[in-house]
Amino acid sequence: MGARYPVLVISVPNLKEISTKEKFLWLNAKSWILAIFIPFILFPWLGLIYALLLYGVFLGLFSILEFFDEDIADILVARSKIKTPSAHFYA
C-alpha cells in the first residue's frame, strides 16, 4: 500500500475579481473620459447639438464595445500613442 498524505483544503471567498475594472453606469473611467473629451474638443466646430449627439453616440458605442471587451478604451489609448506608420506589430 502507498503512503497516505493528508489533504488540506482551504476555501476563501472571491471578493473581487482581479481583472475586472471599476465601472460607473456601465462604463469604466477611460471610456467616460474619451466620450466626454472628444465632443468637448470638437464643440467649437460642431456646435452644441452635434456635440451632444456625438457624446451620445460615443456612450452607445463604448457601451456596446465594452460589452464584448472590457479593455477597449485602454486599447484605443495605447494605439493612439504608437508613433510608427506600420499597421503590423509583432511580439
Side-chain angles (χ1 to χ4, degrees), residues 12-88:
V12 178
N14 185 2
L15 299 178
K16 181 178 176 184
E17 192 175 323
I18 294 172
S19 65
T20 59
K21 296 186 184 293
E22 293 292 325
K23 293 195 174 194
F24 176 72
L25 294 177
W26 78 87
L27 292 176
N28 67 27
K30 283 191 181 177
S31 295
W32 278 106
I33 290 169
L34 287 175
I36 293 170
F37 184 70
I38 295 171
F40 179 74
I41 294 298
L42 297 175
F43 173 70
W45 295 280
L46 295 178
L48 179 64
I49 300 298
Y50 288 120
L52 290 175
L53 185 65
L54 186 62
Y55 171 67
V57 167
F58 275 121
L59 287 180
L61 179 69
F62 281 130
S63 61
I64 291 170
L65 291 176
E66 281 196 17
F67 178 76
F68 295 108
D69 185 9
E70 199 171 63
D71 298 324
I72 193 69
D74 294 327
I75 293 168
L76 292 174
V77 169
R79 187 160 172 90
S80 70
K81 291 180 180 179
I82 296 173
K83 301 290 187 218
T84 180
S86 176
H88 303 287

